[in-house]
Amino acid sequence: MAATSAKDPRQEFQALLKDLQDAALQVKTAAEPLKDKIKPSAKGLSFLEVKNHCMMTYLTGLCHVTHTKLGGQAPTASPALDSLLDLRVIMEKIKPMETKLKYRIDKLLKATDAAPGASDALSFKPNVANFDDDDDENEGADASASDADEEETKGGTTSRTGVYRPPKLAPVHYDDGRKADRAARRALQSAASARLARDLEDEFGDAPEVRGSDVVRSDSAAAESIHKHFADRQAYEEEHMLRVNWTRADKKKRSQLERVGLTNELLNLNEDFGGAVDDDTADFEDVLSYVDKRGKKKRGRHADDEDDVDLVSRSAKRGPSTDFAQRKTAAKRSLHRTVGRENKRRKSAGHQ
Amino acid sequence: MVVDVLHANLANLAKETIREKLAKMYKVNKDVVVVFGFRTAFGGGKSTGFALIYDSVDSLKKFEPKHRLVRLGLAEESKSGRKQRKERKNRAKKVRGTKKAAIMGKK
């Protein structure tokens, strides 16, 4: 039994060796005619030639290593190992390059298959149609293989497998013209309320002039509106016999009144020159010292100029028609509402 | 009524002074005149405020708000703080009827 079991592997080994020999002979007979066929030609792609050469050299090196191994030595002792490693690296680098060149190689093959006469240099140009898939352009008569795979629909393509690929569009800012409209309207409003326009309106317009002891006429519409705001405030206070606290907005408006654009320099000339305009006996030094201390803001005494004429006159009673009063009542109402809601909520929560 | 007070070269006047002046102007007792809300105009020299003249001290006590009565000395403000007052009120909320007086009675 032991003899038979020992023989079997030997016989197996012998059989395998015989097969190997036969196979090698077959390869030799098959490769002989190929040797004549494959000649290095200047027309072909050198890339593919390099690839083939690398492959061949690698195989021969591999044979040498196997031979060394069979001889009983370690395969690392073979001198072909270094070149094998180099070739391996080269082949690994070749692989991605090949995938990139695949398109061109296929096209060349097709061209050679078609007809040698039809091939001219222009037919190898890249197919621009393949760049943007979303437009249905029918140029590129030498349509590539990619068209066969996809249908082009307007705005998107459906690949061969039925998957919809949306068109690759770069996002562009959309301008619906509202911003420009708004800017134009605002420019128109500011121009209409400018000093020039209002002066012209005063002179040539049909509207009646506004006169009143507590109505302050000023050159700028902004200053007028601020004065009106404070006048409304005062009217509200006096009607309801209470005092309203100064809000931050009110303080801001007060300081705005003193700004350069909102004061009338000619009316406030007295101010700017330290009282020298009214009082002729004023000292030049005083004026200079005033100008030196010009950092301090001086308020505009618009309203007080009018008061010299009408000491205790108040305008006609204004009901809640003024903006201030309306805003006040609205604020009070909303406050009552929120307080009521809060109490209701607390009550219901408390009962639960 | 709205009262304008002109006081050049002075800071604003005291409320008592204004009360006296008004009482003289309207020929009433100073006790029935209430004055509040005085604000000095910007730049000084003038103040504006409100004044009320009642028919009698009783109607004054009936209609005037608490804080003004305290100012006039006709009422005393509660010594307990705001928090205590609210807590007492909330305690009274739990009780109905005459029992409230027992809780609210303790000041």
Side-chain angles (χ1 to χ4, degrees):
Chain A
M1 279 301 274
T4 47
S5 65
K7 241 196 196 136
D8 274 352
R10 230 190 305 160
Q11 274 183 0
E12 244 182 82
F13 187 60
Q14 277 180 352
L16 283 172
L17 279 179
K18 187 115 189 349
D19 286 340
L20 192 64
Q21 215 175 15
D22 290 338
L25 214 66
Q26 272 182 14
V27 166
K28 195 164 177 205
T29 47
E32 280 294 325
L34 281 177
K35 199 168 70 168
D36 303 322
K37 243 182 149 187
I38 297 172
K39 287 174 292 211
S41 77
K43 279 202 219 162
L45 279 181
S46 57
F47 174 76
L48 294 172
E49 243 188 83
V50 164
K51 190 171 142 204
N52 290 338
H53 274 292
C54 280
M55 203 65 181
M56 290 299 295
T57 325
Y58 190 79
L59 284 173
T60 45
L62 209 59
C63 286
H64 193 275
V65 168
T66 326
H67 175 81
T68 322
K69 222 171 150 181
L70 285 173
Q73 298 172 343
T76 44
S78 160
L81 210 60
D82 291 333
S83 59
L84 273 185
L85 289 170
D86 288 341
L87 288 168
R88 193 61 189 271
V89 168
I90 291 171
M91 284 202 289
E92 273 170 9
K93 283 218 186 329
I94 280 176
K95 192 148 185 254
M97 288 206 280
E98 195 186 348
T99 51
K100 284 182 193 160
L101 284 175
K102 179 181 176 310
Y103 169 75
R104 189 153 159 78
I105 294 168
D106 289 342
K107 215 166 171 197
L108 280 170
L109 289 174
K110 264 216 285 189
T112 51
D113 288 343
S119 68
D120 53 319
L122 283 176
S123 71
F124 297 134
K125 75 176 194 299
N127 196 357
V128 187
N130 287 341
F131 281 140
D132 24 37
D133 294 329
D134 42 356
D135 303 353
D136 44 4
E137 301 164 37
N138 294 324
E139 0 181 20
D142 318 314
S144 60
S146 55
D147 265 358
D149 292 335
E150 302 165 2
E151 304 164 11
E152 292 205 358
T153 60
K154 186 131 193 218
T157 60
T158 322
S159 78
R160 186 167 19 120
T161 53
V163 177
Y164 170 69
R165 303 234 175 263
K168 289 185 184 127
L169 291 169
V172 177
H173 192 75
Y174 173 62
D175 174 28
D176 59 355
R178 286 200 305 161
K179 192 173 176 190
D181 277 349
R182 214 183 323 146
R185 213 181 324 132
R186 211 178 312 141
L188 189 64
Q189 281 173 349
S190 65
S193 69
R195 282 186 190 192
L196 184 62
R198 283 177 58 239
D199 283 347
L200 291 174
E201 226 182 299
D202 284 344
E203 229 185 291
F204 303 115
D206 293 335
E209 285 185 10
V210 180
R211 285 278 177 267
S213 63
D214 50 352
V215 173
V216 179
R217 298 294 289 160
S218 124
D219 278 352
S220 83
E224 269 195 25
S225 74
I226 294 173
H227 282 299
K228 183 172 177 301
H229 167 81
F230 285 124
D232 286 350
R233 219 183 113 96
Q234 197 177 1
Y236 181 86
E237 280 181 351
E238 285 170 6
E239 194 198 323
H240 299 263
M241 297 207 46
L242 47 78
R243 288 291 181 206
V244 186
N245 290 330
W246 281 77
T247 64
R248 239 177 254 155
D250 290 338
K251 289 180 200 157
K252 200 168 170 196
K253 285 197 173 129
R254 193 51 149 21
S255 64
Q256 267 183 356
L257 273 181
E258 298 155 12
R259 278 165 65 182
V260 177
L262 268 55
T263 53
N264 192 342
E265 311 91 50
L266 296 178
L267 287 182
N268 299 343
L269 209 55
N270 193 24
E271 285 254 318
D272 288 347
F273 287 94
V277 176
D278 280 355
D279 182 11
D280 292 336
T281 61
D283 233 346
F284 191 62
E285 271 182 35
D286 287 348
V287 174
L288 277 182
S289 68
Y290 185 94
V291 168
D292 277 348
K293 289 188 224 159
R294 205 129 192 257
K296 301 178 193 157
K297 285 187 182 168
K298 289 252 170 184
R299 80 278 180 271
R301 300 197 65 166
H302 295 287
D304 290 350
D305 290 342
E306 314 273 348
D307 276 353
D308 288 335
V309 180
D310 248 339
L311 273 178
V312 199
S313 94
R314 301 282 161 216
S315 66
K317 221 187 198 190
R318 300 191 206 116
S321 56
T322 55
D323 279 341
F324 187 87
Q326 276 176 349
R327 253 182 282 141
K328 260 298 194 200
T329 45
K332 226 192 270 182
R333 204 184 309 137
S334 72
L335 182 66
H336 281 317
R337 272 207 204 114
T338 49
V339 168
R341 230 181 282 138
E342 273 297 313
N343 286 343
K344 215 182 283 181
R345 209 176 293 148
R346 218 170 286 151
K347 218 189 268 185
S348 65
H351 281 325
Q352 286 167 9
Chain B
M1 66 184 86
V2 176
V3 177
D4 279 335
V5 180
L6 302 172
H7 45 78
N9 300 330
L10 273 180
N12 57 350
L13 293 180
K15 287 205 281 274
E16 290 300 321
T17 328
I18 299 176
R19 274 178 84 201
E20 284 166 11
K21 279 255 155 43
L22 278 173
K24 208 171 9 169
M25 231 191 279
Y26 285 88
K27 301 184 195 55
V28 285
N29 201 349
K30 185 180 130 185
D31 299 338
V32 296
V33 181
V34 177
V35 145
F36 59 95
F38 270 88
R39 293 276 163 92
T40 315
F42 201 71
K46 181 171 131 176
S47 318
T48 314
F50 308 110
L52 294 171
I53 302 183
Y54 287 89
D55 295 328
S56 66
V57 182
D58 288 333
S59 60
L60 192 154
K61 282 196 193 160
K62 199 159 78 159
F63 290 110
E64 276 293 289
K66 208 71 167 37
H67 67 276
R68 274 191 236 144
L69 287 175
V70 170
R71 279 188 210 167
L72 291 170
L74 298 172
E76 250 188 45
E77 60 177 73
S78 63
K79 290 182 206 77
S80 63
R82 188 165 180 236
K83 209 60 177 141
Q84 271 73 337
R85 262 183 279 140
K86 288 185 184 272
E87 278 173 4
R88 205 173 66 238
K89 173 204 75 166
N90 288 333
R91 263 178 272 137
K93 279 200 286 193
K94 295 184 204 160
V95 170
R96 194 77 172 85
T98 41
K99 299 195 191 90
K100 279 200 212 278
I103 295 178
M104 295 294 277
K106 321 176 192 163
K107 243 200 198 197

